[in-house]
Amino acid sequence: MPTSPASCPAQPLPGLAPSAGSPGLSAQALHAQLWRASHLSSNAKPCVSSGFAALDAELPGKGWPTHGLSEILQHTAVHLEWRLLAPALRTLLDEPAQYRPLLLINPPLTPNLPGLQASGLPARQLVWIQADSPQQQLWATEQAIKANAAAAVLAWLPRARPEQIRRLQSHAQASSAPVFLLRPLNVQAQSSAAPLRLALRPGRDWCLHLHILKRRGPCHEGEMRLQALPAGLQQLLTPRMLSQPWPPRPALAPRTETTELRHALARPALTPH
């Protein structure tokens, strides 16, 4: 016999706040999960300060997010990620409570240990994972995120497809460590499930120029200038050197048709026609 509606206990609909006195999320917890597109999200999950006050002010949660991907786009000819991420990575690796590694997956260049140590990143906590094919790179990144045992994950995935990034974002939602995807600038027009996307380029005075392409909040207008000198150069560079464009272009003699290249190592130093 069907039960009358009056005899059925009221059940809260999924996603709605429970009635007073019923178990469930508190009003404060529910409020933290709500945000308007015209305001920065408060980000209920923990965040890690970027080390740049101006950047923190523009990021939801006032720092690099955990439980989600951060995608950093830049030209393939430059490598600015260490200057941008070093302050936050130092904080993560310096936590005395537990020893956790920094995972580097498929970096395009061999990590320079003296340079990373000068940036405050201890070599004993760096784990370099070299994967040859895009499938191996993706698999290694996915396993690193799912393990949730690293202080942070940096993965260089130049050929990842949108559906693959969506899968990584799904796994990253359960990870308490920041996950950074480093990708070329020419994928900017592709869709991405990463909740945070940044475009990065070098500027004068050894500054980093950064534009927030996507965030949980209003559109970011213009570019930010972050003073981020390479480790150890603050005491070495004169004011004149600081005012020069980065990277400096050496003065080269014009190449003529009669120029004879006798050594293979001389070829990259000459400007091609």
Side-chain angles (χ1 to χ4, degrees), residues 148-231:
N148 196 23
V153 177
L154 275 66
W156 287 259
L157 302 178
R159 298 167 66 180
R161 300 191 301 271
E163 66 271 18
Q164 295 171 334
I165 295 180
R166 188 180 306 112
R167 180 180 176 88
L168 294 178
Q169 167 63 14
S170 177
H171 292 304
Q173 291 177 352
S175 173
S176 60
V179 179
F180 300 97
L181 300 186
L182 292 307
R183 310 191 66 218
L185 192 61
N186 59 15
V187 304
Q188 178 177 340
Q190 295 181 6
S191 63
S192 174
L196 179 63
R197 297 186 90 193
L198 314 173
L200 188 62
R201 69 177 182 88
R204 294 182 63 90
D205 301 342
W206 295 82
C207 287
L208 300 179
H209 285 223
L210 184 146
H211 176 55
I212 302 177
L213 302 172
K214 177 185 177 183
R215 62 180 176 178
R216 287 174 175 165
C219 294
H220 179 247
E221 302 293 341
E223 285 187 328
M224 303 177 58
R225 295 176 68 254
L226 305 178
Q227 187 69 43
L229 284 172

Side-chain angles (χ1 to χ4, degrees), residues 1 10 23 50 71 83 89 93 103 111-112 121-122 134 137 190 195 203 221 223 232:
M1 178 177 179
S50 68
E71 192 175 3
R83 291 167 58 191
L89 297 178
L93 295 180
L103 300 185
N112 182 270
L121 308 179
Q137 298 162 13
Q190 295 181 6
E221 302 293 341
E223 285 187 328

Side-chain angles (χ1 to χ4, degrees), residues 7-25:
S7 62
C8 295
Q11 297 294 331
L13 294 175
L16 297 181
S19 59
S22 63
L25 294 175

Side-chain angles (χ1 to χ4, degrees), residues 5-263:
S7 62
C8 295
Q11 297 294 331
L13 294 175
L16 297 181
S19 59
S22 63
L25 294 175
S26 65
Q28 291 181 347
L30 285 171
H31 181 73
Q33 295 182 12
L34 299 176
W35 61 278
R36 295 182 178 180
S38 59
H39 298 81
L40 284 179
S41 170
S42 60
N43 204 339
K45 303 295 184 181
C47 291
V48 180
S49 172
S50 68
F52 302 95
L55 178 56
D56 284 347
E58 298 293 338
L59 295 178
K62 307 303 181 184
W64 297 118
T66 60
H67 302 273
L69 302 178
S70 297
E71 192 175 3
I72 300 174
L73 310 181
Q74 58 185 331
H75 287 290
T76 55
V78 297
H79 300 280
L80 308 174
E81 56 269 31
W82 293 112
R83 291 167 58 191
L84 176 66
L85 299 179
L89 297 178
R90 281 197 300 267
T91 300
L92 291 167
L93 295 180
D94 196 37
E95 292 183 358
Q98 52 186 339
Y99 178 92
R100 296 184 299 168
L102 172 62
L103 300 185
L104 313 178
I105 301 174
N106 191 47
L109 301 175
T110 301
N112 182 270
L113 292 184
L116 294 178
Q117 288 179 318
S119 299
L121 308 179
R124 66 181 183 278
Q125 289 180 257
L126 303 179
V127 177
W128 174 20
I129 302 173
Q130 188 61 42
D132 297 327
S133 67
Q135 292 78 13
Q136 292 174 340
Q137 298 162 13
L138 186 68
W139 182 86
T141 304
E142 183 175 332
Q143 298 307 309
I145 296 174
K146 291 169 64 175
N148 196 23
V153 177
L154 275 66
W156 287 259
L157 302 178
R159 298 167 66 180
R161 300 191 301 271
E163 66 271 18
Q164 295 171 334
I165 295 180
R166 188 180 306 112
R167 180 180 176 88
L168 294 178
Q169 167 63 14
S170 177
H171 292 304
Q173 291 177 352
S175 173
S176 60
V179 179
F180 300 97
L181 300 186
L182 292 307
R183 310 191 66 218
L185 192 61
N186 59 15
V187 304
Q188 178 177 340
Q190 295 181 6
S191 63
S192 174
L196 179 63
R197 297 186 90 193
L198 314 173
L200 188 62
R201 69 177 182 88
R204 294 182 63 90
D205 301 342
W206 295 82
C207 287
L208 300 179
H209 285 223
L210 184 146
H211 176 55
I212 302 177
L213 302 172
K214 177 185 177 183
R215 62 180 176 178
R216 287 174 175 165
C219 294
H220 179 247
E221 302 293 341
E223 285 187 328
M224 303 177 58
R225 295 176 68 254
L226 305 178
Q227 187 69 43
L229 284 172
L233 287 186
Q234 183 68 51
Q235 294 77 23
L236 301 178
L237 296 179
T238 65
R240 180 181 178 184
M241 296 171 67
L242 286 172
S243 65
Q244 297 299 315
W246 187 92
R249 293 181 60 87
L252 300 177
R255 179 179 175 181
T256 63
E257 294 300 330
T258 58
T259 302
E260 183 179 359
L261 303 180
R262 297 182 177 273
H263 198 286

